[in-house]
Every structure is written in C-alpha cells, then in structure tokens.
Amino acid sequence: MLKHQHLIVRSEILTPPTENDLDNMNFWFKDLIESIGMKILSGPHTVYCKMVGNRGYTGVCVIETSHIALHTWDEENPAIIQLDVYTCSDLDINVVFDKLKKFNPVTIDYTFIDRDNELKIVEKNKIILKR
C-alpha cells in the first residue's frame, strides 16, 4: 500500500560541508538513502554554488519512491542545511536525524507531513542540541 510521507528539515549546523566535499556529500546522500531503506533511481546530483550570499551545496536524488533534496549555506553562522525527504513508503525520521549528526547540528527544526489524502501534519518540532 502506498503512503505519502514528507519530512521537511531546517537544521543549523556547526560543521558544514566545504567546497571541496563533493565526494563526501554524494557518499552522505547514498548512505542516507540506504539507511532509510530506499533505492536510488538517479543521482545523487550535487553541485556547489559559489555565489556570494548563497554559497553551499544543492543536491537532489530521485529515489524509487520519490525524491530527496538538500541545500546548504556555509556562509551563515551557524551554517544551515535544509532537507526535503518525500517517499511513498514508510519513513523513520529518526534515522534522518541521526544522519544529520555528521554536520554537528545545533538545532533540527522539522515538520513531518502525511500527504496521503491531505496535508496532515503528523509531527512538528524543534530539537535544540547545543546552545
């Protein structure tokens, strides 16, 4: 049976990926997808943007059950990751949060939505890890 689960995350981080981390970012994407039990159809497609004020990574991956998108901003203090995980399958959001630990998160602000018949917020929270 198809499900429609959507996790939207904004996380302030202390260890953002740098311009030279492309291989590490692609590995992180693949590891995240494997850890949440999904399969890659295309990607990950990850690039580093050098535009002042918008520096950071943008990446997308088409998975068998939908998509994952990532954006980072390394000029902010603290830096920011925005992550979008949409799947037509079960999703353990705690696995996603565990994978964000690589970037030393200060906060993880998230909304978990059931999009099966409407946009029903299942869970919304802000986790403060460090001050």
Side-chain angles (χ1 to χ4, degrees):
M1 181 173 148
L2 286 179
K3 296 184 177 188
H4 298 275
Q5 298 184 327
H6 193 170
L7 176 64
I8 302 166
V9 177
R10 179 189 186 277
S11 183
E12 295 177 350
I13 58 173
L14 298 177
T15 312
T18 66
E19 184 177 348
N20 298 320
D21 284 338
L22 180 61
D23 289 340
N24 289 331
M25 287 305 297
N26 285 329
F27 176 82
W28 182 85
F29 242 129
K30 291 174 185 176
D31 185 49
L32 169 66
I33 292 162
E34 181 180 308
S35 296
I36 59 175
M38 306 298 164
K39 293 181 182 171
I40 295 173
L41 289 181
S42 180
H45 307 284
T46 311
V47 296
Y48 186 83
C49 176
K50 297 179 183 182
M51 185 177 92
V52 174
N54 198 41
R55 288 175 29 122
Y57 281 95
T58 294
V60 295
C61 193
V62 179
I63 57 176
E64 193 172 60
T65 55
S66 198
H67 73 273
I68 298 176
L70 165 86
H71 305 279
T72 70
W73 289 268
D74 58 25
E75 293 174 300
E76 301 292 321
N77 188 15
I80 298 170
I81 281 186
Q82 303 248 16
L83 182 65
D84 183 272
V85 180
Y86 184 90
T87 180
C88 299
S89 184
D90 286 314
L91 177 62
D92 183 345
I93 63 175
N94 291 308
V95 173
V96 176
F97 301 154
D98 186 57
K99 293 300 172 186
L100 286 172
K101 288 180 183 175
K102 172 183 178 54
F103 305 107
N104 201 5
V106 176
T107 63
I108 299 175
D109 194 3
Y110 68 94
T111 302
F112 189 43
I113 302 168
D114 177 350
R115 294 175 52 166
D116 195 30
N117 293 309
E118 58 186 82
L119 298 178
K120 178 183 173 191
I121 295 176
V122 175
E123 189 173 336
K124 182 174 177 61
N125 198 5
K126 183 170 190 171
I127 303 166
I128 299 174
L129 302 162
K130 300 174 183 162
R131 285 202 181 260

